[in-house]
Amino acid sequence: MPYKERQSIVSLLTTTLVAVVFFVYVLPRYPTGNPYSPAVFHFWGLAVVILIPVSIAANIAVSIAFSIVYSMATQEKTSLVSDERDQLIELRAIRNGLYVFAGGFSLAMGSLAIDMPPSVMFIIIMVSGYGSGLVSNLTQIFLYRRGC
Amino acid sequence: MSAWVIRNNIRTLRFHHDEMTQQQLAEKAGVTRQTIVAIEKGKYSPSLELAFRIARAFDVPLEEVFFVEDSQP
């Protein structure tokens, strides 16, 4: 299995791990009471502000650790380089991920339009953010398996 | 407009260049071995720049490496 394909699988696992940790540790702290109170917006604002850097840092750290372990294990240097085909695959993966996030964002706005609580909107955005990462990584794995 | 596909002679050219390995060609062209594999199998059509770099690696004109063929319906 080529390096890039393994890297996509590692990235997929990292994204899933961060999402699981987020839902396990953050969601139980959801404030009880009025679903339209400022405390609810404060909670979601804080959750997003924490999630974004934690997610980016986790992905970078795991990616660096993986490339070090991989090059130590295989003594391979050339596969760490990205060429035009890798960039094309990455662009297609990002495109598909953005489609998912755009769909989720539209659904989230739709939930507000039909007078659902703001938490529903935030949950849809969070889930579509995770779904976006998932689809992006799965697209990469699929395209690497297929050739391009 | 009739449909056509891009084919290549990379495998043959590698054979005629002292059985050049895919890794050696990849290093000469500045891409990964996986990309050479994908091009050789016809799963990926390279950019014009990469096509020229592959042709230069074999020291032949571009049309000796890549050619078009009418696709069968």
Side-chain angles (χ1 to χ4, degrees):
Chain A
M1 191 186 287
Y3 169 75
K4 296 284 178 185
E5 199 178 321
R6 285 171 198 247
Q7 194 184 34
S8 302
I9 293 169
V10 169
S11 177
L12 181 77
L13 295 176
T14 311
T15 307
T16 304
L17 186 70
V18 169
V20 167
V21 168
F22 175 79
F23 282 109
V24 167
Y25 285 97
V26 177
L27 286 189
R29 295 167 204 273
Y30 180 78
T32 50
N34 181 6
Y36 296 92
S37 77
V40 170
F41 289 97
H42 175 77
F43 167 79
W44 283 113
L46 195 63
V48 172
V49 163
I50 291 170
L51 176 67
I52 291 172
V54 165
S55 175
I56 292 170
N59 267 300
I60 291 172
V62 171
S63 177
I64 291 170
F66 174 68
S67 60
I68 291 169
V69 169
Y70 185 86
S71 43
M72 278 167 66
T74 61
Q75 304 292 320
E76 234 181 282
K77 293 258 187 287
T78 49
S79 60
L80 304 181
V81 177
S82 258
D83 61 20
E84 62 174 45
R85 182 171 144 271
D86 295 321
Q87 288 161 5
L88 182 68
I89 288 174
E90 196 179 335
L91 282 174
R92 284 181 178 169
I94 290 171
R95 179 199 61 188
N96 290 353
L98 285 177
Y99 282 154
V100 171
F101 188 75
F105 186 80
S106 304
L107 267 179
M109 293 304 111
S111 74
L112 287 182
I114 57 170
D115 295 326
M116 295 185 89
S119 290
V120 174
M121 183 264 292
F122 282 112
I123 288 172
I124 293 173
I125 286 182
M126 295 284 193
V127 170
S128 63
Y130 168 67
S132 167
L134 198 71
V135 166
S136 180
N137 286 314
L138 287 174
T139 303
Q140 279 196 10
I141 293 166
F142 170 74
L143 290 176
Y144 276 117
R145 283 271 161 100
R146 201 180 64 171
C148 192
Chain B
M1 193 174 74
S2 63
W4 44 266
V5 287
I6 298 173
R7 302 244 186 255
N8 65 77
N9 291 320
I10 292 177
R11 180 67 194 94
T12 313
L13 286 164
R14 285 199 299 112
F15 174 77
H16 289 304
H17 282 73
D18 297 331
E19 198 63 73
M20 183 193 285
T21 64
Q22 290 173 330
Q23 184 61 44
Q24 286 168 333
L25 176 59
E27 282 165 16
K28 283 189 173 187
V31 291
T32 58
R33 192 183 69 81
Q34 284 73 30
T35 297
I36 296 297
V37 172
I39 294 169
E40 206 173 287
K41 285 182 180 171
K43 288 183 175 175
Y44 173 64
S45 295
S47 68
L48 193 56
E49 187 187 339
L50 177 55
F52 272 110
R53 276 194 268 136
I54 291 170
R56 184 168 281 189
F58 291 122
D59 202 21
V60 294
L62 185 64
E63 59 269 25
E64 277 190 35
V65 185
F66 297 97
F67 57 95
V68 288
E69 222 177 56
D70 289 330
S71 65
Q72 299 300 317

Short mmCIF file of all heavy atoms in Angstrom, two decimals, chain A residues 74-141:
data_model
loop_
_atom_site.label_atom_id
_atom_site.label_comp_id
_atom_site.label_asym_id
_atom_site.label_seq_id
_atom_site.Cartn_x
_atom_site.Cartn_y
_atom_site.Cartn_z
N THR A 74 10.61 2.02 6.51
CA THR A 74 10.80 1.58 5.12
C THR A 74 12.07 2.12 4.48
O THR A 74 12.43 1.68 3.38
CB THR A 74 9.61 2.01 4.25
OG1 THR A 74 9.53 3.43 4.27
CG2 THR A 74 8.30 1.43 4.75
N GLN A 75 12.74 3.09 5.13
CA GLN A 75 13.93 3.74 4.56
C GLN A 75 13.60 4.41 3.23
O GLN A 75 14.48 4.61 2.39
CB GLN A 75 15.09 2.74 4.37
CG GLN A 75 15.49 2.01 5.62
CD GLN A 75 16.13 2.91 6.67
OE1 GLN A 75 16.91 3.79 6.35
NE2 GLN A 75 15.76 2.73 7.92
N GLU A 76 12.33 4.73 3.00
CA GLU A 76 11.89 5.35 1.75
C GLU A 76 11.80 6.86 1.92
O GLU A 76 11.25 7.31 2.92
CB GLU A 76 10.49 4.82 1.38
CG GLU A 76 10.41 4.23 0.00
CD GLU A 76 9.01 3.74 -0.30
OE1 GLU A 76 8.66 2.65 0.19
OE2 GLU A 76 8.29 4.46 -0.99
N LYS A 77 12.33 7.60 0.96
CA LYS A 77 12.27 9.06 1.06
C LYS A 77 11.39 9.65 -0.05
O LYS A 77 10.68 10.61 0.15
CB LYS A 77 13.67 9.67 0.94
CG LYS A 77 14.59 9.34 2.10
CD LYS A 77 14.68 10.53 3.06
CE LYS A 77 15.73 10.29 4.15
NZ LYS A 77 15.31 9.33 5.16
N THR A 78 11.47 9.02 -1.23
CA THR A 78 10.82 9.61 -2.40
C THR A 78 9.29 9.65 -2.28
O THR A 78 8.66 10.55 -2.81
CB THR A 78 11.18 8.84 -3.68
OG1 THR A 78 10.99 7.45 -3.43
CG2 THR A 78 12.61 9.09 -4.09
N SER A 79 8.70 8.67 -1.61
CA SER A 79 7.24 8.62 -1.56
C SER A 79 6.66 9.74 -0.70
O SER A 79 5.47 9.96 -0.71
CB SER A 79 6.78 7.27 -1.06
OG SER A 79 7.30 7.05 0.22
N LEU A 80 7.50 10.43 0.07
CA LEU A 80 7.00 11.53 0.90
C LEU A 80 6.74 12.77 0.04
O LEU A 80 6.08 13.69 0.47
CB LEU A 80 8.00 11.86 2.01
CG LEU A 80 8.39 10.70 2.93
CD1 LEU A 80 9.35 11.18 3.99
CD2 LEU A 80 7.18 10.09 3.60
N VAL A 81 7.28 12.76 -1.19
CA VAL A 81 7.12 13.92 -2.08
C VAL A 81 5.74 13.88 -2.74
O VAL A 81 5.25 12.82 -3.09
CB VAL A 81 8.22 13.88 -3.17
CG1 VAL A 81 8.05 15.03 -4.16
CG2 VAL A 81 9.59 13.92 -2.55
N SER A 82 5.11 15.07 -2.88
CA SER A 82 3.81 15.15 -3.56
C SER A 82 4.04 15.54 -5.00
O SER A 82 4.74 16.52 -5.28
CB SER A 82 2.96 16.24 -2.89
OG SER A 82 2.01 15.67 -2.07
N ASP A 83 3.47 14.79 -5.94
CA ASP A 83 3.58 15.20 -7.34
C ASP A 83 2.22 15.65 -7.86
O ASP A 83 1.27 15.79 -7.09
CB ASP A 83 4.20 14.08 -8.19
CG ASP A 83 3.37 12.81 -8.17
OD1 ASP A 83 2.18 12.90 -7.85
OD2 ASP A 83 3.91 11.74 -8.49
N GLU A 84 2.13 15.86 -9.18
CA GLU A 84 0.89 16.42 -9.74
C GLU A 84 -0.32 15.52 -9.54
O GLU A 84 -1.43 16.00 -9.34
CB GLU A 84 1.08 16.76 -11.22
CG GLU A 84 1.41 15.55 -12.09
CD GLU A 84 1.46 15.89 -13.57
OE1 GLU A 84 2.07 16.91 -13.91
OE2 GLU A 84 0.87 15.12 -14.35
N ARG A 85 -0.10 14.20 -9.57
CA ARG A 85 -1.22 13.27 -9.39
C ARG A 85 -1.71 13.33 -7.94
O ARG A 85 -2.92 13.32 -7.69
CB ARG A 85 -0.76 11.86 -9.75
CG ARG A 85 -1.86 10.82 -9.65
CD ARG A 85 -1.39 9.50 -10.24
NE ARG A 85 -1.94 8.40 -9.48
CZ ARG A 85 -1.37 7.86 -8.41
NH1 ARG A 85 -0.22 8.31 -7.99
NH2 ARG A 85 -1.95 6.86 -7.78
N ASP A 86 -0.79 13.42 -6.99
CA ASP A 86 -1.18 13.56 -5.58
C ASP A 86 -1.99 14.83 -5.38
O ASP A 86 -2.99 14.84 -4.65
CB ASP A 86 0.07 13.61 -4.69
CG ASP A 86 0.86 12.31 -4.73
OD1 ASP A 86 0.23 11.25 -4.77
OD2 ASP A 86 2.09 12.38 -4.74
N GLN A 87 -1.54 15.91 -6.03
CA GLN A 87 -2.24 17.20 -5.88
C GLN A 87 -3.64 17.13 -6.49
O GLN A 87 -4.59 17.69 -5.93
CB GLN A 87 -1.42 18.33 -6.50
CG GLN A 87 -0.19 18.68 -5.66
CD GLN A 87 0.87 19.44 -6.42
OE1 GLN A 87 0.67 19.81 -7.58
NE2 GLN A 87 2.00 19.65 -5.80
N LEU A 88 -3.74 16.45 -7.63
CA LEU A 88 -5.05 16.30 -8.28
C LEU A 88 -6.01 15.51 -7.38
O LEU A 88 -7.18 15.88 -7.19
CB LEU A 88 -4.88 15.59 -9.63
CG LEU A 88 -6.15 15.41 -10.45
CD1 LEU A 88 -6.66 16.75 -10.95
CD2 LEU A 88 -5.90 14.49 -11.64
N ILE A 89 -5.49 14.43 -6.81
CA ILE A 89 -6.31 13.60 -5.91
C ILE A 89 -6.73 14.42 -4.69
O ILE A 89 -7.89 14.37 -4.26
CB ILE A 89 -5.53 12.32 -5.50
CG1 ILE A 89 -5.45 11.37 -6.69
CG2 ILE A 89 -6.16 11.64 -4.30
CD1 ILE A 89 -4.58 10.15 -6.48
N GLU A 90 -5.80 15.19 -4.16
CA GLU A 90 -6.10 16.02 -2.98
C GLU A 90 -7.18 17.06 -3.31
O GLU A 90 -8.11 17.27 -2.53
CB GLU A 90 -4.82 16.71 -2.53
CG GLU A 90 -4.92 17.28 -1.12
CD GLU A 90 -3.64 17.95 -0.68
OE1 GLU A 90 -2.56 17.60 -1.19
OE2 GLU A 90 -3.73 18.84 0.19
N LEU A 91 -7.07 17.66 -4.48
CA LEU A 91 -8.06 18.67 -4.90
C LEU A 91 -9.45 18.04 -5.05
O LEU A 91 -10.45 18.61 -4.62
CB LEU A 91 -7.65 19.33 -6.21
CG LEU A 91 -6.56 20.39 -6.11
CD1 LEU A 91 -6.14 20.85 -7.49
CD2 LEU A 91 -7.06 21.58 -5.31
N ARG A 92 -9.51 16.84 -5.65
CA ARG A 92 -10.80 16.16 -5.81
C ARG A 92 -11.39 15.80 -4.46
O ARG A 92 -12.59 15.89 -4.25
CB ARG A 92 -10.62 14.89 -6.65
CG ARG A 92 -10.45 15.20 -8.12
CD ARG A 92 -10.30 13.92 -8.90
NE ARG A 92 -10.19 14.19 -10.33
CZ ARG A 92 -9.85 13.28 -11.22
NH1 ARG A 92 -9.58 12.06 -10.85
NH2 ARG A 92 -9.78 13.59 -12.49
N ALA A 93 -10.51 15.39 -3.54
CA ALA A 93 -10.97 15.03 -2.19
C ALA A 93 -11.51 16.26 -1.46
O ALA A 93 -12.58 16.19 -0.84
CB ALA A 93 -9.81 14.42 -1.40
N ILE A 94 -10.80 17.38 -1.58
CA ILE A 94 -11.26 18.62 -0.93
C ILE A 94 -12.60 19.05 -1.53
O ILE A 94 -13.52 19.46 -0.82
CB ILE A 94 -10.19 19.73 -1.08
CG1 ILE A 94 -8.96 19.40 -0.23
CG2 ILE A 94 -10.75 21.09 -0.69
CD1 ILE A 94 -7.77 20.31 -0.46
N ARG A 95 -12.71 18.94 -2.86
CA ARG A 95 -13.97 19.31 -3.54
C ARG A 95 -15.15 18.50 -2.98
O ARG A 95 -16.18 19.05 -2.61
CB ARG A 95 -13.83 19.07 -5.04
CG ARG A 95 -15.09 19.41 -5.82
CD ARG A 95 -15.09 18.76 -7.17
NE ARG A 95 -15.04 17.31 -7.07
CZ ARG A 95 -14.86 16.49 -8.10
NH1 ARG A 95 -14.67 16.97 -9.30
NH2 ARG A 95 -14.85 15.18 -7.92
N ASN A 96 -14.97 17.18 -2.88
CA ASN A 96 -16.05 16.33 -2.37
C ASN A 96 -16.38 16.66 -0.91
O ASN A 96 -17.54 16.68 -0.51
CB ASN A 96 -15.68 14.85 -2.50
CG ASN A 96 -15.68 14.40 -3.95
OD1 ASN A 96 -16.07 15.15 -4.83
ND2 ASN A 96 -15.22 13.20 -4.20
N GLY A 97 -15.32 16.92 -0.14
CA GLY A 97 -15.52 17.30 1.27
C GLY A 97 -16.30 18.61 1.38
O GLY A 97 -17.20 18.74 2.22
N LEU A 98 -15.98 19.55 0.51
CA LEU A 98 -16.69 20.84 0.53
C LEU A 98 -18.15 20.68 0.13
O LEU A 98 -19.01 21.39 0.65
CB LEU A 98 -15.98 21.86 -0.38
CG LEU A 98 -14.68 22.43 0.19
CD1 LEU A 98 -14.03 23.37 -0.82
CD2 LEU A 98 -14.92 23.19 1.48
N TYR A 99 -18.43 19.76 -0.81
CA TYR A 99 -19.83 19.50 -1.19
C TYR A 99 -20.61 19.06 0.05
O TYR A 99 -21.73 19.52 0.29
CB TYR A 99 -19.91 18.39 -2.25
CG TYR A 99 -19.57 18.83 -3.67
CD1 TYR A 99 -19.08 17.91 -4.59
CD2 TYR A 99 -19.75 20.14 -4.08
CE1 TYR A 99 -18.76 18.29 -5.88
CE2 TYR A 99 -19.42 20.53 -5.38
CZ TYR A 99 -18.92 19.60 -6.27
OH TYR A 99 -18.61 19.98 -7.55
N VAL A 100 -20.00 18.14 0.82
CA VAL A 100 -20.69 17.63 2.02
C VAL A 100 -20.91 18.75 3.03
O VAL A 100 -21.99 18.90 3.58
CB VAL A 100 -19.86 16.47 2.65
CG1 VAL A 100 -20.43 16.06 4.00
CG2 VAL A 100 -19.83 15.28 1.72
N PHE A 101 -19.86 19.56 3.23
CA PHE A 101 -20.01 20.64 4.21
C PHE A 101 -21.03 21.67 3.74
O PHE A 101 -21.82 22.17 4.55
CB PHE A 101 -18.66 21.32 4.48
CG PHE A 101 -18.74 22.29 5.62
CD1 PHE A 101 -18.81 21.84 6.93
CD2 PHE A 101 -18.81 23.67 5.40
CE1 PHE A 101 -18.93 22.71 7.99
CE2 PHE A 101 -18.93 24.55 6.46
CZ PHE A 101 -18.98 24.07 7.75
N ALA A 102 -21.03 21.98 2.45
CA ALA A 102 -22.01 22.95 1.92
C ALA A 102 -23.43 22.42 2.11
O ALA A 102 -24.34 23.16 2.48
CB ALA A 102 -21.74 23.23 0.45
N GLY A 103 -23.62 21.11 1.88
CA GLY A 103 -24.93 20.49 2.10
C GLY A 103 -25.33 20.58 3.56
O GLY A 103 -26.48 20.93 3.88
N GLY A 104 -24.39 20.29 4.45
CA GLY A 104 -24.65 20.37 5.89
C GLY A 104 -24.97 21.79 6.32
O GLY A 104 -25.87 22.02 7.13
N PHE A 105 -24.23 22.75 5.76
CA PHE A 105 -24.47 24.15 6.10
C PHE A 105 -25.88 24.57 5.67
O PHE A 105 -26.59 25.24 6.43
CB PHE A 105 -23.41 25.03 5.43
CG PHE A 105 -23.48 26.47 5.82
CD1 PHE A 105 -22.94 26.91 7.02
CD2 PHE A 105 -24.11 27.41 5.00
CE1 PHE A 105 -23.02 28.24 7.39
CE2 PHE A 105 -24.21 28.74 5.36
CZ PHE A 105 -23.65 29.16 6.56
N SER A 106 -26.29 24.15 4.48
CA SER A 106 -27.64 24.47 4.00
C SER A 106 -28.69 23.85 4.91
O SER A 106 -29.70 24.49 5.24
CB SER A 106 -27.84 23.96 2.57
OG SER A 106 -26.86 24.51 1.74
N LEU A 107 -28.45 22.59 5.30
CA LEU A 107 -29.39 21.92 6.22
C LEU A 107 -29.47 22.67 7.55
O LEU A 107 -30.56 22.84 8.12
CB LEU A 107 -28.90 20.50 6.51
CG LEU A 107 -29.43 19.38 5.63
CD1 LEU A 107 -28.80 18.06 6.08
CD2 LEU A 107 -30.94 19.28 5.72
N ALA A 108 -28.31 23.12 8.04
CA ALA A 108 -28.25 23.84 9.32
C ALA A 108 -29.06 25.13 9.24
O ALA A 108 -29.83 25.46 10.15
CB ALA A 108 -26.80 24.14 9.68
N MET A 109 -28.91 25.85 8.12
CA MET A 109 -29.68 27.08 7.95
C MET A 109 -31.17 26.76 7.82
O MET A 109 -32.03 27.48 8.33
CB MET A 109 -29.20 27.84 6.70
CG MET A 109 -27.80 28.39 6.81
SD MET A 109 -27.55 29.48 8.22
CE MET A 109 -26.46 28.50 9.23
N GLY A 110 -31.45 25.64 7.16
CA GLY A 110 -32.84 25.19 7.02
C GLY A 110 -33.47 24.90 8.37
O GLY A 110 -34.65 25.20 8.60
N SER A 111 -32.66 24.33 9.28
CA SER A 111 -33.19 24.02 10.62
C SER A 111 -33.58 25.31 11.35
O SER A 111 -34.56 25.33 12.10
CB SER A 111 -32.17 23.23 11.43
OG SER A 111 -31.11 24.06 11.85
N LEU A 112 -32.82 26.38 11.12
CA LEU A 112 -33.19 27.67 11.74
C LEU A 112 -34.45 28.23 11.09
O LEU A 112 -35.30 28.82 11.76
CB LEU A 112 -32.04 28.69 11.58
CG LEU A 112 -30.79 28.47 12.43
CD1 LEU A 112 -29.79 29.60 12.16
CD2 LEU A 112 -31.12 28.40 13.91
N ALA A 113 -34.55 28.03 9.77
CA ALA A 113 -35.70 28.55 9.03
C ALA A 113 -37.01 27.90 9.48
O ALA A 113 -38.06 28.52 9.39
CB ALA A 113 -35.49 28.33 7.53
N ILE A 114 -36.93 26.66 9.94
CA ILE A 114 -38.17 26.00 10.40
C ILE A 114 -38.26 26.03 11.93
O ILE A 114 -38.89 25.17 12.56
CB ILE A 114 -38.29 24.55 9.86
CG1 ILE A 114 -37.07 23.70 10.25
CG2 ILE A 114 -38.48 24.54 8.35
CD1 ILE A 114 -37.24 22.21 9.96
N ASP A 115 -37.60 27.04 12.52
CA ASP A 115 -37.72 27.34 13.96
C ASP A 115 -37.26 26.22 14.89
O ASP A 115 -37.84 26.02 15.95
CB ASP A 115 -39.17 27.74 14.30
CG ASP A 115 -39.55 29.02 13.62
OD1 ASP A 115 -38.67 29.90 13.46
OD2 ASP A 115 -40.73 29.16 13.22
N MET A 116 -36.23 25.52 14.50
CA MET A 116 -35.67 24.52 15.42
C MET A 116 -34.67 25.22 16.34
O MET A 116 -34.17 26.30 16.00
CB MET A 116 -34.99 23.39 14.63
CG MET A 116 -35.98 22.60 13.80
SD MET A 116 -35.24 21.20 12.99
CE MET A 116 -35.46 19.96 14.24
N PRO A 117 -34.36 24.65 17.50
CA PRO A 117 -33.43 25.30 18.44
C PRO A 117 -32.04 25.48 17.81
O PRO A 117 -31.64 24.68 16.95
CB PRO A 117 -33.35 24.34 19.63
CG PRO A 117 -34.48 23.40 19.47
CD PRO A 117 -34.88 23.39 18.04
N PRO A 118 -31.30 26.52 18.25
CA PRO A 118 -29.96 26.76 17.68
C PRO A 118 -29.01 25.58 17.84
O PRO A 118 -28.11 25.38 17.01
CB PRO A 118 -29.44 27.98 18.45
CG PRO A 118 -30.51 28.42 19.35
CD PRO A 118 -31.69 27.53 19.24
N SER A 119 -29.22 24.78 18.88
CA SER A 119 -28.33 23.62 19.09
C SER A 119 -28.40 22.65 17.92
O SER A 119 -27.39 22.04 17.57
CB SER A 119 -28.72 22.88 20.37
OG SER A 119 -28.38 23.68 21.46
N VAL A 120 -29.58 22.52 17.33
CA VAL A 120 -29.73 21.61 16.18
C VAL A 120 -28.84 22.11 15.05
O VAL A 120 -28.13 21.33 14.40
CB VAL A 120 -31.21 21.54 15.74
CG1 VAL A 120 -31.34 20.72 14.45
CG2 VAL A 120 -32.07 20.94 16.83
N MET A 121 -28.87 23.44 14.84
CA MET A 121 -28.04 24.04 13.79
C MET A 121 -26.55 23.76 14.05
O MET A 121 -25.82 23.33 13.15
CB MET A 121 -28.31 25.55 13.74
CG MET A 121 -27.58 26.28 12.65
SD MET A 121 -26.03 27.05 13.16
CE MET A 121 -26.56 28.33 14.25
N PHE A 122 -26.12 23.96 15.30
CA PHE A 122 -24.71 23.74 15.61
C PHE A 122 -24.33 22.26 15.46
O PHE A 122 -23.25 21.94 14.96
CB PHE A 122 -24.40 24.22 17.04
CG PHE A 122 -24.26 25.71 17.14
CD1 PHE A 122 -25.20 26.48 17.82
CD2 PHE A 122 -23.21 26.37 16.52
CE1 PHE A 122 -25.08 27.85 17.91
CE2 PHE A 122 -23.08 27.75 16.61
CZ PHE A 122 -24.02 28.50 17.30
N ILE A 123 -25.23 21.37 15.90
CA ILE A 123 -24.93 19.93 15.78
C ILE A 123 -24.81 19.53 14.31
O ILE A 123 -23.89 18.79 13.92
CB ILE A 123 -25.99 19.08 16.52
CG1 ILE A 123 -25.81 19.25 18.02
CG2 ILE A 123 -25.89 17.61 16.14
CD1 ILE A 123 -26.89 18.63 18.87
N ILE A 124 -25.73 20.06 13.48
CA ILE A 124 -25.66 19.73 12.04
C ILE A 124 -24.34 20.23 11.45
O ILE A 124 -23.68 19.52 10.68
CB ILE A 124 -26.86 20.32 11.27
CG1 ILE A 124 -28.16 19.63 11.71
CG2 ILE A 124 -26.68 20.14 9.75
CD1 ILE A 124 -29.42 20.25 11.13
N ILE A 125 -23.93 21.44 11.84
CA ILE A 125 -22.66 21.98 11.31
C ILE A 125 -21.48 21.13 11.77
O ILE A 125 -20.58 20.81 10.98
CB ILE A 125 -22.49 23.47 11.72
CG1 ILE A 125 -23.43 24.32 10.88
CG2 ILE A 125 -21.05 23.93 11.53
CD1 ILE A 125 -23.34 25.80 11.12
N MET A 126 -21.49 20.74 13.05
CA MET A 126 -20.39 19.89 13.58
C MET A 126 -20.34 18.55 12.84
O MET A 126 -19.27 18.09 12.44
CB MET A 126 -20.62 19.60 15.07
CG MET A 126 -20.55 20.81 15.94
SD MET A 126 -18.85 21.30 16.15
CE MET A 126 -19.01 22.44 17.48
N VAL A 127 -21.51 17.92 12.70
CA VAL A 127 -21.56 16.61 12.04
C VAL A 127 -21.14 16.73 10.58
O VAL A 127 -20.39 15.89 10.07
CB VAL A 127 -22.98 15.98 12.17
CG1 VAL A 127 -23.11 14.75 11.29
CG2 VAL A 127 -23.26 15.60 13.62
N SER A 128 -21.58 17.82 9.91
CA SER A 128 -21.19 17.97 8.51
C SER A 128 -19.70 18.28 8.39
O SER A 128 -19.06 17.90 7.41
CB SER A 128 -22.04 19.01 7.78
OG SER A 128 -21.84 20.27 8.35
N GLY A 129 -19.14 18.94 9.40
CA GLY A 129 -17.69 19.18 9.41
C GLY A 129 -16.94 17.86 9.50
O GLY A 129 -15.97 17.63 8.77
N TYR A 130 -17.43 16.98 10.38
CA TYR A 130 -16.81 15.65 10.50
C TYR A 130 -17.04 14.85 9.21
O TYR A 130 -16.11 14.23 8.68
CB TYR A 130 -17.41 14.90 11.70
CG TYR A 130 -17.05 13.45 11.71
CD1 TYR A 130 -15.73 13.04 11.91
CD2 TYR A 130 -18.02 12.47 11.50
CE1 TYR A 130 -15.39 11.69 11.89
CE2 TYR A 130 -17.69 11.13 11.49
CZ TYR A 130 -16.38 10.74 11.68
OH TYR A 130 -16.05 9.41 11.65
N GLY A 131 -18.27 14.91 8.69
CA GLY A 131 -18.60 14.20 7.45
C GLY A 131 -17.74 14.67 6.29
O GLY A 131 -17.33 13.88 5.44
N SER A 132 -17.46 15.96 6.27
CA SER A 132 -16.63 16.55 5.22
C SER A 132 -15.22 15.94 5.25
O SER A 132 -14.69 15.53 4.22
CB SER A 132 -16.58 18.06 5.44
OG SER A 132 -15.59 18.64 4.68
N GLY A 133 -14.64 15.86 6.45
CA GLY A 133 -13.32 15.26 6.60
C GLY A 133 -13.32 13.80 6.21
O GLY A 133 -12.40 13.31 5.55
N LEU A 134 -14.40 13.12 6.61
CA LEU A 134 -14.55 11.69 6.33
C LEU A 134 -14.60 11.45 4.82
O LEU A 134 -13.88 10.61 4.27
CB LEU A 134 -15.84 11.21 6.99
CG LEU A 134 -16.03 9.73 7.21
CD1 LEU A 134 -15.09 9.26 8.31
CD2 LEU A 134 -17.47 9.43 7.61
N VAL A 135 -15.47 12.21 4.14
CA VAL A 135 -15.64 12.05 2.68
C VAL A 135 -14.34 12.40 1.96
O VAL A 135 -13.93 11.72 1.02
CB VAL A 135 -16.81 12.92 2.18
CG1 VAL A 135 -16.80 13.04 0.66
CG2 VAL A 135 -18.13 12.32 2.64
N SER A 136 -13.67 13.45 2.45
CA SER A 136 -12.41 13.87 1.83
C SER A 136 -11.37 12.74 1.92
O SER A 136 -10.72 12.39 0.92
CB SER A 136 -11.94 15.12 2.56
OG SER A 136 -10.75 15.57 2.04
N ASN A 137 -11.25 12.14 3.10
CA ASN A 137 -10.27 11.05 3.27
C ASN A 137 -10.67 9.81 2.49
O ASN A 137 -9.82 9.16 1.88
CB ASN A 137 -10.11 10.70 4.75
CG ASN A 137 -9.32 11.75 5.49
OD1 ASN A 137 -8.29 12.20 5.03
ND2 ASN A 137 -9.81 12.20 6.63
N LEU A 138 -11.97 9.49 2.49
CA LEU A 138 -12.43 8.31 1.75
C LEU A 138 -12.22 8.50 0.25
O LEU A 138 -11.87 7.55 -0.47
CB LEU A 138 -13.91 8.02 2.05
CG LEU A 138 -14.18 7.45 3.45
CD1 LEU A 138 -15.69 7.34 3.70
CD2 LEU A 138 -13.54 6.08 3.62
N THR A 139 -12.44 9.74 -0.23
CA THR A 139 -12.21 10.02 -1.66
C THR A 139 -10.74 9.78 -2.00
O THR A 139 -10.43 9.17 -3.03
CB THR A 139 -12.57 11.48 -1.98
OG1 THR A 139 -13.93 11.70 -1.62
CG2 THR A 139 -12.40 11.80 -3.46
N GLN A 140 -9.85 10.25 -1.12
CA GLN A 140 -8.41 10.06 -1.37
C GLN A 140 -8.07 8.57 -1.44
O GLN A 140 -7.38 8.13 -2.35
CB GLN A 140 -7.59 10.71 -0.26
CG GLN A 140 -7.43 12.19 -0.45
CD GLN A 140 -6.32 12.77 0.40
OE1 GLN A 140 -5.55 12.04 1.01
NE2 GLN A 140 -6.23 14.08 0.45
N ILE A 141 -8.60 7.81 -0.47
CA ILE A 141 -8.31 6.37 -0.44
C ILE A 141 -8.84 5.71 -1.72
O ILE A 141 -8.14 4.94 -2.37
CB ILE A 141 -8.93 5.72 0.82
CG1 ILE A 141 -8.24 6.25 2.08
CG2 ILE A 141 -8.82 4.19 0.76
CD1 ILE A 141 -8.96 5.94 3.37
#
